[in-house]
Every structure is written in C-alpha cells, then in structure tokens.
C-alpha cells in the first residue's frame, strides 16, 4: 500500500552517492541496446567472458553428418555442458526440449548443398521466426573471397538491420573456400569486414601464426570454429591457444560429437575455455571422465 504523504517519509535517497552504470563485459558491445546485451550475456558467461558453443547445424548443407544421425540420442546428453546450441530451426522445433535453459543461436542462411557451390546462399529464415523461437543470436555464413562474396555480405547486413530492430545479435560465420589460403592476413580481412558492417560477434578459424593480430584487429568478440575432427589433445591445444591469443570462446561440433567420449570432451573443452586449464590437464580430465 502506498505511503500517505506526511506519515511515512522516505529517507534513503543517498544524495551523496552518484549513480553509476557498470560497463558491459563484452568487447565492443557497450553501446548496444539492453535486449541485445542481455542475449549476448546468455551466450557468453559474464564471469569468464567466454563461451562454449556446440555447433550442430551441419545438416543444413550436408545432411546427416557423422555423429548427428540421431540428435535426440547423440546431442541431447551434451546439452547440459554447452553454453549455447547453434542449430537450425527445424532441429530446434523437432528435437530440442522447449524447457532448455541454454541460449540458442539460429542458422539463418542456407539454400545450397555440398552438391553445389556453397557460397550461393540466401537468407533462409525470417526475423519473426527468430523472435518466436526466442533466439539469442542469428548465424549468417559470409564467404569473403568466394564466388558469391557480395551476396553473402548483403545477407549478413540485412540480418544485422533486422536484428537491430528486434534486439537480436548477428553472428557472422566466415567461410573459407577450398582454394583460399588460411592465414592471419585472410582472417584479419574477413573478420574486420564483418565487424565493420555490423556483426555483433564473429566465428572464424584459428591459425597458429599471428592469430593474436586477428583478434586485436577485430573490434567485436571472435569465437573459433572447431573444424575437422582431430585428436582430442590437439583439439584442446587449439582451443587453449586461441583463448590465449584473444578468442572469446569456441564453437565446436565435430571435435566434440565425433569424439570417442563426447560428454567427457565437452567438459574438457569447458575447462580450457572457462577455467583457463592447460590442454594437458584438460586431457587428463577427459580421460578420467571417459572411464
């Protein structure tokens, strides 16, 4: 019940204490709207500033990838250990329980398969459906140097514009063509273009030489792709090196769900990303959990 004027006078105005506003923890995100920051805060852990994204969207262009034949059996046991699930709306609606507390990054570009030119993508999802599905971000493939470079860049900028209207971040995913050189020079170019044109964060590949220049030159957070399956220790070393070079997390798929023990592997990756554990100790954890 409201106080009646003159009976219970409020006293705690703290007139001697200036109001303060905490700066947002994520690189390049301080000027974003509240809703967009809130969604990014579901993807990135505010304590560590990092994220472990589980990428399971491979089927949108290559069908039932090894390890993703039965997402209900192979992937749902991994869900508790991921910060974020990156997937298509079809898999989200048909398999992921709606009571999940994990953030969702929706794949919103597509239209080609492994049988055709992959860079010839278009937008494959309307922003209204991303809102309906409570997405925390939308992922768009960008092929810098690809045959359809311009078209994929415009796909991204369109999603950035729509996302800004609705408060949903856009994740630019830098794709690398078969004949392109994977080096720091290329990734500096690709990630900077995406950031300059408005992407709120970027997924790219790690390279051992000069990767710190890629993260330094990019004004928004970078997460690294897991890429093709490698030995567990090698994957943990790659994740650790990327984090030490300034990456804000990983978006791993095959190096987790194609592991001999996916549940153990995703926990080992978490130890590297969030706890700054060494790859060797994380690998020991993997072997312990694997038993």
């Amino acid at each position: 019940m409201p106080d009646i004027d003159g009976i219970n006078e409020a006293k705690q105005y703290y007139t001697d204490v200036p109001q303060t506003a905490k700066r947002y923890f994520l690189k390049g995100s301080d000027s974003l709207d509240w809703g967009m920051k809130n969604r990014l805060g579901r993807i990135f852990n505010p304590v560590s500033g990092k994220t472990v994204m589980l990428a399971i969207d491979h089927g949108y262009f290559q069908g039932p990838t090894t390890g993703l034949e039965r997402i209900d059996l192979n992937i749902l046991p991994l869900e508790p250990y991921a910060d974020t699930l990156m997937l298509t709306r079809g898999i989200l609606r048909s398999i992921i329980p709606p009571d999940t507390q994990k953030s969702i990054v929706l794949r919103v570009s597509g239209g080609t398969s492994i049988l055709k030119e992959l860079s010839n993508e278009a937008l494959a999802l309307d922003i209204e459906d991303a809102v309906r599905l409570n997405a925390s971000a939308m992922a768009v493939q960008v092929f810098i140097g690809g045959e359809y470079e311009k078209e994929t860049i415009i796909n991204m900028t369109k999603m950035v514009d729509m996302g800004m209207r609705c408060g949903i971040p856009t994740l630019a995913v830098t794709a690398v063509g078969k004949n392109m050189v994977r080096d720091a020079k290329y990734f500096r170019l690709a990630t900077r273009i995406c950031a300059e044109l408005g992407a709120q964060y970027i997924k790219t590949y790690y390279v051992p030489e000069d990767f710190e220049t890629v993260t330094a030159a990019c004004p928004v957070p970078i997460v690294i792709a897991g890429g093709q399956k490698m030995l567990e220790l090698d994957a943990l070393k790659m994740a650790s090196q990327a984090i030490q070079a300034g990456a804000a997390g990983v978006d791993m798929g095959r190096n987790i769900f194609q592991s001999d023990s996916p549940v153990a592997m995703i926990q080992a990756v978490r130890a590297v990303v969030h706890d700054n554990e060494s790859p060797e100790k994380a690998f020991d954890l993997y072997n312990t959990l694997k038993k």
Side-chain angles (χ1 to χ4, degrees):
M1 183 176 180
D3 292 337
I4 299 175
D5 289 345
I7 297 179
N8 293 319
E9 183 178 354
K11 298 179 180 179
Q12 299 300 324
Y13 289 105
Y14 299 103
T15 57
D16 58 333
V17 181
Q19 179 173 306
T20 60
K22 183 179 179 182
R23 288 185 63 86
Y24 196 63
F25 71 96
L26 206 58
K27 177 182 180 180
S29 305
D30 202 53
S31 63
L32 297 176
D33 291 338
W34 190 95
M36 194 167 283
K37 289 179 181 177
N38 181 264
R39 288 182 170 90
L40 286 169
R42 299 179 201 168
I43 297 169
F44 293 89
N45 185 312
V47 176
S48 68
K50 306 293 191 296
T51 185
V52 174
M53 296 174 58
L54 180 60
I56 57 170
D57 59 332
H58 305 65
Y60 92 95
F61 72 98
Q62 62 184 33
T65 308
T66 302
L68 296 180
E69 300 92 343
R70 286 289 301 271
I71 290 177
D72 57 329
L73 300 179
N74 298 339
I75 299 302
L76 290 186
L78 305 177
E79 183 255 8
Y81 307 103
D83 297 312
T84 298
L85 300 178
M86 179 169 163
L87 73 178
T88 62
R89 59 177 167 179
I91 293 300
L92 180 62
R93 280 194 167 101
S94 60
I95 296 177
I96 306 302
D99 59 357
T100 182
Q101 297 302 300
K102 302 301 178 179
S103 55
I104 298 299
V105 174
L106 280 182
R107 165 65 65 178
V108 299
S109 62
T112 57
S113 75
I114 54 174
L115 305 178
K116 298 288 186 179
E117 168 56 46
L118 289 178
S119 68
N120 191 17
E121 284 195 348
L123 295 179
L125 181 145
D126 189 278
I127 186 71
E128 291 182 359
D129 213 21
V131 172
R132 276 191 290 268
L133 291 169
N134 199 27
S136 291
M138 304 172 294
V140 185
Q141 205 83 1
V142 181
F143 292 80
I144 302 298
E147 182 178 349
Y148 292 90
E149 175 189 79
K150 175 186 174 182
E151 288 81 357
T152 61
I153 290 175
I154 297 303
N155 288 341
M156 185 201 73
T157 59
K158 286 179 178 178
M159 290 314 301
V160 168
D161 288 339
M162 288 187 279
M164 292 296 287
R165 288 197 291 270
C166 297
I168 303 179
T170 296
L171 166 63
V173 182
T174 63
V176 182
K178 295 179 180 179
N179 299 321
M180 293 182 197
V181 177
R182 296 191 181 197
D183 59 14
K185 181 179 180 181
Y186 171 80
F187 290 120
R188 286 195 300 267
L189 173 70
T191 57
R192 184 61 175 262
I193 287 174
C194 292
E196 293 266 359
L197 293 176
Q200 280 75 38
Y201 76 114
I202 297 167
K203 173 180 175 178
T204 197
Y205 288 93
Y206 172 74
V207 288
E209 186 175 352
D210 295 331
F211 188 72
E212 67 275 8
T213 67
V214 179
T215 59
C218 184
V220 298
I222 285 178
V223 297
I224 66 157
Q228 294 183 350
K229 177 69 175 70
M230 60 183 75
L231 295 174
E232 281 75 9
L233 179 57
D234 290 340
L236 294 170
K237 286 180 178 179
M238 177 181 69
S240 177
Q241 291 164 3
I243 295 297
Q244 298 307 314
V250 301
D251 187 17
M252 279 193 175
R254 288 168 288 182
N255 276 300
I256 291 175
F257 61 70
Q258 290 180 356
S259 170
D260 290 339
S261 180
V263 171
M265 185 60 181
I266 193 171
Q267 291 180 78
V269 171
R270 287 190 66 84
V272 167
V273 173
H274 289 304
D275 302 328
N276 204 27
E277 193 62 89
S278 70
E280 292 75 18
K281 289 187 177 180
F283 187 57
D284 288 342
L285 174 64
Y286 165 77
N287 285 318
T288 298
L289 296 172
K290 181 181 175 181
K291 296 177 181 177

